[in-house]
Structure formats: C-alpha cells, structure tokens
Amino acid sequence: MQGSLRRSIFALAMAFAVAGALGQTTTAPDDPAGGKPAAGAPPGFVVPADPKPGDTEAERTKSQPGNNAPIWRATRDSGNHPGVTTLPNNEGATLIQRFVQYPGSAYTTAGEAWRQTRNQWIVPYGGSLLLIVVVAIALYYVGRGSLGRSTNAGASAIERFTALERAAHWVNAAAFVVLALSGIVIAWGKFFLLPVLGASLFGWLTIALKTVHNFIGPLFVVSLVIVFITFIKDNFPQAGDGAWLKKAGGMFGGPEVPSHRFNAGEKVVFWLGVFVLGALVAVSGLVLDQLIPAVANVRGNMQIAHMVHATAAVLMMCLFLGHIYLGTIGMKGAYRAMRAGYVDEDWAHEHHALWAEDIRAGKIPAKRSSSPPPAGLHTAKEGA
Ligand code: HEM
C-alpha cells in the first residue's frame, strides 16, 4: 500500500480518536442538580440524589450502591437497629457493642471503652501503685528494720493459732500468691518478661499461667470463705482499737500500743482485705470463670467483671504486701506465730498486751487445741 495513502488513513484514525477523547472531556454533562440525564444516559434515567447520612441500607443501595455505611452504622449500634447475623453464640446478634462510657474511657463502643479503661488506667496506674507500695515497704524496712524486741523463741508458750487455723491460712496464702504472680504476668508481663523471653515463650508462659489462674481461682474463693469464718470472731472492734489506730500502733514511732488478739491494723486488713476486696475479687473472678450461671457469658458482663476484678486485685495485693511484709521480715517472731502456732509470753505481751493479760487472768485459754507445742516450748500454765 502506497506510503502516502497509509499515512492519510493513519492520520484519519488519529483524528477520530482525538475527536472522540475531546468529546468526552469538553462536553460537560448537564448539571446533575438539574437532574437532566447526561448525554447518552438511557431515557428516563433519574440522577439519584446524594446519599443522606441517615439513609437506610435499602435507600443507600439506590443512592450510592456499594456504600454500606448504613449497615455498618447499624452493626455498630446493633443494639438499636434491626439486622440479621448467623453467628452461633448467645451474643450473635451483637457484632459491635453499643456505646458506653466506662471509668476513664471515652463514650464509645463498649469493647473500645473497656480497652481504654484497662490500658489507660488499670494497667499503668495499678502497676505504678504496686511499685510504689513495694518501694515504700523497702524504704520502711531500711528505715525501721524488723519491728519489736522479742524474737518469740522464749521458753513458755501460748497457742496463738491452732493447726486448723494455720492450715486454712496457708492454703489461702499459697493460692493468693499463685494468683497474684500469674495475674501480674497476665497484666504486666509484656513490659518486663516479653522483652526477655521473646514472643513465643512468653505466649506459652502466659497461656499456662492464665490456665493455672483460672483453676486456682475457685480454690482461693473457698479458702477465703474459710479464713473469713475462722478468724471473724476476734476481728470485731474492741476497746483500745481506736487508740491503736490513732498512733498506727506505734509503727511510725513511739511504743507499741496495747491490743487484743488482733490489733486494729490486722482488723482493717481483715475487713477491707479479706472481706470487701476479697469478695469483689472472688465474685468477679467467678464471673470471669463463667461459674455463676445467673450471669450471662456476654462481653458486657465480662468487661465489667474484669474491670472490678483487676482493680480490686491490685488494691488487695497492695494491702497484703504489707501483711506479708509484717508476717515475714517486718516483725520479729511474727512468722513463727503462724508457722508453729505458738508464741512466748514476752512476744505476746510486747505485741498483744491486752490479749496476754486476758490469758494470764484466765479469761482466754493459753492452749486452745490438743496439738502439742513445737519441741522445746511448753504452755504458760504447764511452765508456771
Ligand atoms: C505469703 C503470704 C502470707 C504470709 C507470709 C502471711 C503471714 C501471716 C502471719 C505471720 C500471721 C500472724 C499474725 C499475728 O500473729 O497476728 C497472719 C495472720 C493472718 N493472715 Fe496472713 N499471711 C499471708 C497471706 C495471707 C492472705 C493472702 C490472707 C487473706 C487473703 C491472709 C489472711 C490472714 C488472716 C485473716 C490472719 C489472722 C489475723 C487476723 O485475722 O487479723 N494472709 N498471716
């Protein structure tokens, strides 16, 4: 085919293509607001109105097909708008929880609100409080050393805790320590253990500890109830408790203030720690373990139970750190009282003078069970 002919056909084709493209851009379609169909639109075609925020899904499929904002808004508010899901569990109809405000969170979907309360309040402030208590106890120990003069190793002995009381105490104490340590890893392990162990080992450890936590929890609840029943008798307010509280028992200076079997500080730990915080931690823990049939296993209940559980557990750990400190190195001879059950008269007079006087006066028996004193010790009466 002649060169010139080929070129003119090519030029013609290019002209058509350019004309076609120009036709696209330059000819602005009619003003949509006017609703007049654009050139080439099928006859009778009506430009749909802009989507309105309040559109239902049905309206939106017309106003802006493919834009499913209404269905996702309804999903987020699935408590408020009808919708259908095929999810199996009893919360199948709630894909995204409704808006709530939990302590310290924004007003947002419940899952997000819980996440904010946990990550912005419970974890940072709870963790800081625990560290502050540990540092305060360490500074107190450095400043004051072990309290008391008597080492509780004297000849004559008084039965302070029976074998049954000690068994109840130590089962509860052991369960508490396991729960506290596993709970600390679950809540704060990613800050101090994950960097050391790496993701997979930390993952396995946390799963194992969470499983231990879920199983030891119910045991702790039972032993806590037993401890409450076992020790309640001597934890009611008595004369002298007010004076003890006023001077904090002499723990920050001055002589130790006389007290009955348990001093006012131990009674505060009993009612606040064992009873109030213990009950909150126990009940919320049983809900999280799904062991209370009356409480439905739905996210809202679990979120509230978790926030109560974690907060009460942090406060309980702070309180019992003090108890454990005084029950080990913080007071001479105290550990032996709960370990062996017996104290000597000197220790009893120094730390629980009103109790020791009642024993001397015969109002309270020096020996309350048939379990013998540890080797080398004998009861006050026998020794007199
Ligand atoms: C390792 C942990 C613990 C240690 C070393 C410890 C140590 C002690 C000691 C030495 C006593 C005797 C104090 C005295 O003679 O007055 C005592 C009493 C007591 N402990 Fe513990 N304890 C521990 C954990 C716990 C826990 C977790 C609870 C409860 C949740 C608890 C509840 C009690 C109660 C109720 C008493 C009797 C005093 C009272 O009723 O006020 N202990 N503990």
Side-chain angles (χ1 to χ4, degrees):
M1 192 189 302
Q2 304 295 329
S4 59
L5 183 59
R6 207 178 305 129
R7 271 196 297 277
S8 47
I9 292 170
F10 177 72
L12 205 64
M14 283 306 292
F16 267 111
V18 171
L22 283 176
Q24 287 289 334
T25 47
T26 48
T27 53
D30 289 63
D31 167 20
K36 284 207 290 334
F45 174 74
V46 179
V47 176
D50 263 352
K52 295 191 290 308
D55 267 357
T56 64
E57 184 57 15
E59 286 158 344
R60 183 56 58 87
T61 50
K62 289 212 173 54
S63 64
Q64 207 168 42
N67 170 337
N68 291 330
I71 193 97
W72 290 116
R73 255 196 293 278
T75 304
R76 188 187 59 193
D77 303 342
S78 52
N80 300 335
H81 290 270
V84 178
T85 76
T86 55
L87 287 175
N89 69 5
N90 59 359
E91 246 194 315
T94 306
L95 295 178
I96 300 178
Q97 293 171 278
R98 64 177 65 228
F99 274 45
V100 295
Q101 184 163 25
Y102 287 145
S105 83
Y107 180 66
T108 178
T109 55
E112 173 58 19
W114 168 76
R115 198 188 64 79
Q116 290 177 6
T117 301
R118 181 190 182 278
N119 293 354
Q120 292 168 11
W121 291 91
I122 298 176
V123 169
Y125 290 94
S128 311
L129 185 63
L130 274 172
L131 286 178
I132 290 169
V133 170
V134 170
V135 171
I137 290 175
L139 290 176
Y140 181 80
Y141 180 64
V142 171
R144 294 242 359 166
S146 279
L147 296 177
R149 177 185 40 73
S150 160
T151 55
N152 189 18
S156 54
I158 300 170
E159 189 177 23
R160 186 161 172 75
F161 297 110
T162 63
L164 202 66
E165 288 171 338
R166 284 178 279 138
H169 177 269
W170 288 119
V171 169
N172 187 54
F176 179 83
V177 171
V178 169
L179 291 169
L181 294 178
S182 53
I184 285 170
V185 171
I186 296 168
W188 294 281
K190 73 173 187 182
F191 301 112
F192 65 92
L193 267 185
L194 175 59
V196 181
L197 299 180
S200 58
L201 191 54
F202 175 70
W204 282 112
L205 176 71
T206 316
I207 290 172
L209 287 177
K210 183 183 170 307
T211 311
V212 168
H213 196 93
N214 290 353
F215 280 96
I216 298 290
L219 168 70
F220 175 71
V221 174
V222 174
S223 65
L224 189 71
V225 172
I226 293 172
V227 159
F228 181 73
I229 296 168
T230 306
F231 292 108
I232 189 171
K233 184 171 67 56
D234 290 310
N235 275 291
F236 289 107
Q238 291 165 286
D241 288 343
W244 194 98
L245 282 175
K246 266 200 211 105
K247 296 190 173 147
M251 284 174 62
F252 298 103
E256 181 153 355
V257 180
S259 69
H260 291 277
R261 185 183 178 206
F262 300 134
N263 61 43
E266 288 176 301
K267 292 178 184 178
V268 168
V269 170
F270 182 82
W271 288 108
L272 184 57
V274 175
F275 183 58
V276 175
L277 293 172
L280 287 173
V281 165
V283 174
S284 58
L286 292 176
V287 170
L288 291 168
D289 254 357
Q290 299 162 31
L291 290 173
I292 303 189
V295 180
N297 165 24
V298 292
R299 278 164 293 169
N301 292 345
M302 292 302 151
Q303 285 154 1
I304 292 167
H306 170 269
M307 292 183 285
V308 171
H309 189 72
T311 308
V314 165
L315 296 175
M316 198 173 175
M317 285 193 280
C318 290
L319 205 57
F320 279 95
L321 275 170
H323 174 81
I324 295 171
Y325 164 70
L326 287 171
T328 51
I329 58 170
M331 181 184 279
K332 295 188 187 84
Y335 176 70
R336 188 150 196 270
M338 191 50 94
R339 169 81 183 74
Y342 283 76
V343 294
D344 63 26
E345 281 189 28
D346 193 24
W347 189 92
H349 269 289
E350 183 180 7
H351 297 295
H352 301 278
L354 303 175
W355 177 63
E357 274 154 32
D358 285 349
I359 290 172
R360 182 166 287 176
K363 289 184 197 158
I364 299 175
K367 201 168 162 14
R368 291 185 294 122
S369 77
S370 57
S371 54
L377 283 185
H378 54 83
T379 60
K381 284 223 169 33
E382 288 165 3

